[in-house]
Amino acid sequence: MQLRMQKIGALIFRVTKNNMSLILKNIKNCVTWDSERGGMLIHENIDIAIEKDQIVEMGAHLGSADHAIDCSKNLVTPGFVDSHTHPVFLEGREKEFSMRLQGVSYEEIARAGGGIVSSVSGVREASEEMLIKKMTERMDTFLSLGTTTIEAKSGYGLDKDSELKSLSVIDKVNQAHAIDIHPTFMGAHAIPQEFKNDPNAYVQLICEEMLPAVRKQGIAEYCDVFCENGYFSSDMSKKILLTAKEHGLKIRLHADEFQNSLAANLAGELNAVSADHLMAISDEGIRALKENNVIATLLPGTTFFLGKTEYAPYAKMKALGLDIALATDFNPGSCHIQSMPFILSLACIYLKMDILDAIKATTVMGAKALQVEDEKGSLEVGKKADIVIWDLVDPVQIPYSVSKDCIDTVIKNGKIFKNS
Ligand SMILES: [Zn+2]
């Protein structure tokens, strides 16, 4: 069947009818989580049959379909699930990047009024349309890099109206874009300038005004807090997160990024879905995550982008059997990285992750960190057809090909996006 084509960012979208059937023929190597065995699996020479947006059959020599893609020379993996991003901002922060090259630290920049706070004026002044345009371009890039599901945080508004505007932007982009987006309210991303001398009053504003308004708006699924000494202390974070729970939001935390701030302990105490960053987590914090089934989401891109050398203690977490996800932490300041393939490289090189563990952490564990593992994150019958076809054969070639784009085609909900 000849498909009509349309260009979206770096992708050529092959327009498919809603009820089109698709078959990936004779896949050389198909790497995925296997729910029945509870482990990663490499299928060789397998077909995947797709009807509408779903995988309906997997096996050798399946029948025909409206459209077929020959994968006899290709590696195939699930689409990436990026469970931690900050994509609602206006402009990049290249100037700050230059300052850091001259030796000024991220914390010093933040104290001098840069950092997160400097993105705030951009979001406050921008129209919703402008933010939608910017975020849509970023989603095109994510999709071209193989990410099919994403979490997106507000948190550059830091007042009620601008936070609601940011969530509305996420919702509108989600409705229009092929990528599935899970919205998180993060009013507690930084203390805004006007509350610099009275941070507790800002916590009060979040609890008494922002969270009720966020609930009424009905977009956010999660509430996230930057729980770190000097930002939102463990006590402040606890107050915000308990209030968020009362308003029906599930919770996740930025935890122990720069120093042990007892954030992982709090994540365990409050049964957060995920605790993220964790470069400075204590042994006790690791145990708290394990005992309370909190997913540890590691963001090696941030350590790398900030030029730091201390990565999260992955080996200890693995030894204790934690669920571990990997995500980009894409944001304009501390991690301007959108590529999950690059995150795989960092995880293998710096966290010493095994390649199959790293693929697991970027697919099925990312899905678990967004509580969508029943329908996404693996290639199994009944799951969504969210698939990456690579110009590669062996999974280890993904992290090995650090600077090369090796994605041939992305399939999202059964629709085909060919990299141009
Ligand atoms: Zn973050």
Side-chain angles (χ1 to χ4, degrees):
M1 180 194 257
Q2 198 56 32
L3 299 174
R4 198 155 55 82
M5 301 211 275
Q6 178 184 319
K7 197 141 188 329
I8 298 179
L11 297 166
I12 295 170
F13 172 34
R14 301 204 165 174
V15 182
T16 53
K17 288 185 192 142
N18 280 339
N19 56 358
M20 195 193 79
S21 64
L22 170 66
I23 195 161
L24 308 188
K25 290 297 283 181
N26 207 16
I27 299 166
K28 176 80 176 162
N29 282 314
C30 173
V31 179
T32 184
W33 176 255
D34 181 341
S35 301
E36 264 174 43
R37 281 178 61 248
M40 293 298 284
L41 195 67
I42 304 181
H43 300 282
E44 290 174 27
N45 306 315
I46 195 175
D47 294 357
I48 297 181
I50 296 157
E51 296 272 355
K52 295 180 185 169
D53 62 349
Q54 219 174 36
I55 296 171
V56 291
E57 208 178 352
M58 290 174 72
H61 313 299
L62 300 181
S64 61
D66 296 335
H67 186 66
I69 300 176
D70 172 31
C71 296
S72 58
K73 295 188 176 74
N74 302 92
L75 168 71
V76 165
T77 65
F80 293 118
V81 180
D82 189 345
S83 62
H84 185 136
T85 82
H86 305 258
V88 192
F89 58 90
L90 195 63
E91 303 297 348
R93 301 215 303 260
E94 300 82 348
K95 229 198 256 170
E96 218 172 87
F97 185 78
S98 299
M99 282 168 76
R100 285 202 285 108
L101 305 186
Q102 287 156 26
V104 188
S105 77
Y106 185 70
E107 292 91 328
E108 282 165 332
I109 290 168
R111 274 197 295 274
I116 295 164
V117 167
S118 71
S119 290
V120 170
S121 54
V123 166
R124 285 186 180 174
E125 285 156 27
S127 66
E128 200 172 295
E129 290 67 34
M130 182 50 83
L131 290 170
I132 287 171
K133 183 174 172 283
K134 293 279 185 181
M135 184 173 165
T136 299
E137 289 166 5
R138 289 165 195 147
M139 292 303 121
D140 290 346
T141 303
F142 275 117
L143 189 64
S144 73
L145 292 164
T147 298
T148 48
T149 298
I150 206 163
E151 183 259 13
K153 303 174 200 296
S154 70
Y156 294 115
L158 307 186
D159 64 30
K160 190 178 82 181
D161 289 347
S162 305
E163 286 296 307
L164 294 179
K165 177 170 72 180
S166 300
L167 289 167
S168 173
V169 166
I170 294 171
D171 188 48
K172 285 179 179 148
V173 174
N174 185 31
Q175 285 175 35
H177 204 279
I179 287 192
D180 289 320
I181 309 174
H182 294 269
T184 295
F185 165 65
M186 199 176 176
H189 194 191
I191 309 281
Q193 289 295 84
E194 61 272 26
F195 286 94
K196 217 174 156 189
N197 299 320
D198 193 3
N200 283 315
Y202 185 58
V203 172
Q204 200 177 346
L205 181 79
I206 292 174
C207 293
E208 291 177 9
E209 289 186 33
M210 288 195 195
L211 278 166
V214 166
R215 176 198 214 161
K216 196 167 161 223
Q217 187 190 34
I219 291 171
E221 291 177 33
Y222 295 94
C223 177
D224 193 341
V225 172
F226 201 131
C227 182
E228 184 87 27
N229 296 340
Y231 294 82
F232 294 86
S233 68
S234 179
D235 283 347
M236 292 157 101
S237 301
K238 186 172 178 177
K239 191 174 172 205
I240 294 165
L241 292 168
L242 285 175
T243 311
K245 272 191 164 185
E246 282 169 21
H247 286 289
L249 296 176
K250 295 173 280 186
I251 60 175
R252 46 201 325 119
L253 275 83
H254 281 60
D256 302 327
E257 179 176 352
F258 302 123
Q259 50 177 287
N260 174 21
S261 307
L262 301 175
N265 308 55
L266 181 66
E269 184 189 332
L270 299 183
N271 286 108
V273 177
S274 175
D276 301 19
H277 281 297
L278 309 173
M279 280 92 98
I281 191 172
S282 66
D283 290 352
E284 196 192 333
I286 295 176
R287 281 195 299 276
L289 298 186
K290 173 65 186 168
E291 282 160 16
N292 296 285
N293 297 316
V294 180
I295 296 170
T297 299
L298 309 185
L299 311 167
T302 316
T303 307
F304 174 82
F305 196 78
L306 290 176
K308 296 190 173 184
T309 51
E310 198 181 328
Y311 286 83
Y314 166 68
K316 276 187 188 173
M317 294 175 179
K318 184 182 160 120
L320 217 66
L322 262 66
D323 277 346
I324 296 166
L326 284 164
T328 59
D329 191 23
F330 170 66
N331 73 74
S334 63
C335 188
H336 200 239
I337 297 172
Q338 290 186 263
S339 167
M340 286 293 257
F342 183 60
I343 296 297
L344 279 180
S345 298
L346 295 180
C348 293
I349 295 167
Y350 291 110
L351 301 175
K352 310 284 180 228
M353 269 178 114
D354 171 81
I355 176 58
L356 292 187
D357 285 343
I359 293 178
K360 176 184 169 188
T362 49
T363 57
V364 70
M365 281 300 146
K368 197 171 178 188
L370 295 178
Q371 301 181 306
V372 292
E373 73 275 22
D374 289 344
E375 56 172 3
K376 290 171 189 169
S378 62
L379 303 179
E380 297 174 284
V381 171
K383 297 272 171 89
K384 294 285 182 200
D386 292 357
I387 302 170
V388 179
I389 303 172
W390 300 82
D391 278 329
L392 304 169
V393 176
D394 191 312
V396 80
Q397 290 172 318
I398 303 175
Y400 177 68
S401 307
V402 182
S403 60
K404 194 168 167 230
D405 180 4
C406 300
I407 291 177
D408 178 82
T409 298
V410 180
I411 296 170
K412 173 60 193 169
N413 283 328
K415 294 193 166 70
I416 305 164
F417 296 83
K418 173 105 177 146
N419 244 341
S420 54

